[in-house]
Amino acid sequence: AQSVSQHNHHVILSEAASLELGCNYSYGGTVNLFWYVQYPGQHLQLLLKYFSGDPLVKGIKGFEAEFIKSKFSFNLRKPSVQWSDTAEYFCAVKLAGAGSYQLTFGKGTKLSVIP
Amino acid sequence: NAGVTQTPKFQVLKTGQSMTLQCAQDMNHEYMSWYRQDPGMGLRLIHYSVGAGITDQGEVPNGYNVSRSTTEDFPLRLLSAAPSQTSVYFCASSRTITGDFEETQYFGPGTRLLVL
């Protein structure tokens, strides 16, 4: 069965610290990869996505992620976090190609940034 | 565009009651879906639809029913509410995927449901 693992349940960082959130997936084919963010009390918003091409993907608000196919990973990074980055982050995966619609989400990682 | 809208924002039900969660989008998206979000579980797909008149089950369909009579609307029905259905429900939509062009899913603001 398809699955997505996010290694950290809760990460606490001080402002200006660097961030890396892990995401590994188990899928038997070509995949599309996503990171979504959910700020407190809000709905999910797309941070970045990977479909094909350059495995280093840049998203909004200074976030980036690197797709490493050999490791089945899509880790999210940000060089310097801000208090406003406090949120829950979800990695999501789907099979690529026409006729594939189901997104499988990881369980999420809560990020708390201390001023 | 309003994007994806959901009503109500919050609902309290008693065990055994039925209700319908509404979802609408004004982007002419063919694909729509319902997820539930529970603490520590991430989002799990309940049902999805790839166009009017076409629906299919996701990961956790039991206790829920859907229909898609128009492109714009995709209501989720709870047939007989149970405490285990206490959750936050998100609706999402995207254009139909064609060829190598993949569309992002856009999420609604959510409905918080409490079943007593």
Side-chain angles (χ1 to χ4, degrees), chain A residues 6 21-23 33-37 45-49 64-65 74-76 89-92 109:
Chain A
Q6 292 184 239
L21 301 182
C23 173
L33 299 149
F34 306 81
W35 275 98
Y36 283 86
V37 61
Q45 302 171 42
L46 182 68
L47 267 181
L48 49 79
K49 59 188 178 183
E64 66 178 30
F74 190 56
N75 292 353
L76 181 71
Y89 294 81
F90 294 93
C91 180
T109 298

Side-chain angles (χ1 to χ4, degrees), chain A residues 50-112:
Chain A
Y50 172 80
F51 288 152
S52 62
D54 189 344
L56 184 60
V57 179
K58 294 191 184 299
I60 61 172
K61 304 186 180 187
F63 285 91
E64 66 178 30
E66 184 175 13
F67 171 48
I68 302 179
K69 189 175 180 180
S70 61
K71 294 185 178 181
F72 299 90
S73 69
F74 190 56
N75 292 353
L76 181 71
R77 300 195 291 250
K78 186 172 185 179
S80 176
V81 295
Q82 301 172 322
W83 176 79
S84 58
D85 293 324
T86 294
E88 190 159 15
Y89 294 81
F90 294 93
C91 180
V93 180
K94 65 178 286 294
L95 287 174
S100 174
Y101 303 98
Q102 181 167 339
L103 267 179
T104 300
F105 283 84
K107 295 183 177 181
T109 298
K110 285 188 179 178
L111 172 65
S112 299

Side-chain angles (χ1 to χ4, degrees), chain A residues 11-31:
Chain A
V11 172
I12 302 172
L13 294 173
S14 298
E15 273 193 317
S18 64
L19 170 72
E20 181 161 3
L21 301 182
C23 173
N24 285 90
Y25 64 92
S26 171
Y27 265 72
T30 304
V31 295

Side-chain angles (χ1 to χ4, degrees), chain B residues 12-27:
Chain B
V12 179
L13 290 178
K14 293 181 180 178
T15 297
Q17 287 185 314
S18 63
M19 79 159 293
T20 299
L21 280 63
Q22 301 292 343
C23 174
Q25 51 87 13
D26 61 357
M27 298 173 282

Side-chain angles (χ1 to χ4, degrees), chain B residues 1-6 23-32 68 70-74 91-95 106:
Chain B
N1 288 347
V4 181
T5 58
Q6 291 182 237
C23 174
Q25 51 87 13
D26 61 357
M27 298 173 282
N28 202 31
H29 285 172
E30 293 189 5
Y31 176 74
M32 296 184 74
R68 183 94 178 271
T70 67
T71 299
E72 293 78 21
D73 301 299
F74 190 44
C91 180
S93 76
S94 68
R95 291 199 309 191
Y106 295 89

